[in-house]
Amino acid sequence: MPSHARPKPSRIPRSLLRAGLVLSAAGAALAAGGAASASAAPASAAEHSADTGATASALTGALLHSAAGGLGPVKDLKVDPLANTPVDPLANAVGTQIADFKPVGTNLLTGPLADGGTLRDLPLVSTLTKVLPG
């Protein structure tokens, strides 16, 4: 009698898989419906609209304002949730010194994180966060 491997049951409940499938199908239907209605619009409607760029500038302003409101607080969150606690693994620093050279250690990189630093406080990432609004 041959022994066949029994397939392992999925760790994701079937209800979650079904919900994901329904949401994916609904998103595809909405996207297809939007494309169909956009292509069905008469060409004369585009000719009669007198948009002077006010709509585009209003949308750009709204996008920048909402991005600043959403990304601004992220820049000020603590990166290391265990900072300033006795169990913080980043607080353990290792260093060495060779001859008369300046000592080098891991605390140069992990120090700002272990002290409860935010994205604005990190040495290399702080310059990149200036590009983000907020």
Side-chain angles (χ1 to χ4, degrees):
M1 189 187 271
S3 172
H4 296 288
R6 186 174 179 179
K8 292 184 180 180
S10 175
R11 294 185 188 268
I12 302 172
R14 286 184 183 245
S15 59
L16 288 178
L17 292 174
R18 287 181 184 145
L21 182 61
V22 167
L23 288 175
S24 298
L30 286 174
S37 67
S39 65
S44 63
E47 296 172 2
H48 293 298
S49 69
D51 188 19
T52 60
T55 305
S57 64
L59 287 175
T60 304
L63 179 64
L64 289 176
H65 181 69
S66 63
L71 294 176
V74 172
K75 292 183 193 180
D76 296 325
L77 289 176
K78 286 177 29 176
V79 178
D80 183 18
L82 296 175
N84 298 324
T85 62
V87 293
D88 186 13
L90 297 176
N92 298 328
V94 177
T96 186
Q97 182 178 6
I98 300 174
D100 293 337
F101 293 109
K102 187 176 178 181
V104 177
T106 58
N107 58 351
L108 293 173
L109 294 175
T110 61
L113 291 175
D115 294 337
T118 63
L119 285 178
R120 294 181 199 253
D121 300 333
L122 298 179
L124 297 175
V125 181
S126 63
T127 57
L128 296 176
T129 58
K130 293 178 184 175
V131 176
L132 297 174

